[in-house]
Amino acid sequence: MAVSAGIKEAKIVLRKELKRRLAAMSEVEKQTESAKVAAKLFAMKEFQESKRVSLYMSMPNEVDTFGIMGKLFELKKKCFIPHYIGPVMKMVELSSMADYESLPLTSWNIKQPADDDDRADALETGGLDLIVVPGLGFTSEGGRLGRGKGYYDSYIKRCTELELKVPVTVALAYSVQICKSVPISDHDMIIDHVLCAD
């Protein structure tokens, strides 16, 4: 147990440091890096070949995904976004930008369907080809430090447990979010590709 307590403590310390680094970024830096990261995503063969993509709804200190969402609709790809109810996250389909605009704001100031908006999880309608994953810190090898709730680790694990095609996972990061190492525990999923502006 001592090891896991040590890992937990190391995660808390690193999360504080990463939040400090992100808070020091200017809006111009965020916009510039977000555009570069989105361009890298669009250039990926895995992105171009994917038909069903899930996308996180970005918060102010995350690589902006609003333009990526528009691109998905432009390319006629199916777009799925997180729907959190209690400890469980589903990925539910958005039909258009107008559908997105009509969603209510959560306490995190991001849009998601209302609790009683009963949309099927992507895993019930054919799975996902690609999952765009948020996080606080990453290594270039795919190590990820999330916000501590484990939503994405659990969801990616469910994708691999179902007999569906395992989706490609891609993390979007500002350059200040890239770390030499991040503390990893047994349930932490390794990300296939980490994209940053540099």
Side-chain angles (χ1 to χ4, degrees), residues 20-152:
R20 188 191 60 72
R21 288 188 206 171
L22 288 163
M25 284 184 79
S26 70
E27 283 310 309
V28 172
E29 285 173 317
K30 288 178 185 174
Q31 286 167 6
T32 304
E33 289 204 20
S34 287
K36 286 181 180 173
V37 172
K40 283 189 177 182
L41 176 68
F42 301 152
M44 285 181 75
K45 180 169 164 278
E46 292 90 342
F47 175 82
Q48 291 165 8
E49 291 176 354
S50 64
K51 294 180 175 66
R52 298 165 62 87
V53 179
S54 88
L55 193 62
Y56 66 88
M57 301 288 89
S58 51
M59 293 194 284
N61 63 352
E62 293 174 328
V63 169
D64 188 7
T65 57
F66 188 74
I68 297 170
M69 189 195 311
K71 187 78 165 178
L72 290 175
F73 290 122
E74 187 190 309
L75 295 170
K76 305 282 190 284
K77 295 181 188 289
K78 285 194 180 293
C79 175
F80 298 84
I81 63 166
H83 188 192
Y84 304 93
I85 299 180
V88 177
M89 177 182 75
K90 296 197 302 185
M91 290 294 178
V92 298
E93 189 173 351
L94 265 189
S95 58
S96 63
M97 289 303 279
D99 186 14
Y100 167 76
E101 293 295 351
S102 72
L103 296 177
L105 275 175
T106 67
S107 56
W108 298 313
N109 212 32
I110 53 174
K111 287 177 176 275
Q112 82 160 21
D115 285 1
D116 60 358
D117 184 344
D118 192 24
R119 302 179 188 219
D121 188 302
L123 301 186
E124 296 164 12
T125 61
L128 291 163
D129 299 319
L130 190 140
I131 300 180
V132 179
V133 184
L136 268 176
F138 307 94
T139 67
S140 48
E141 293 79 34
R144 171 181 173 268
L145 179 69
R147 293 178 184 277
K149 297 274 195 288
Y151 286 120
Y152 275 84

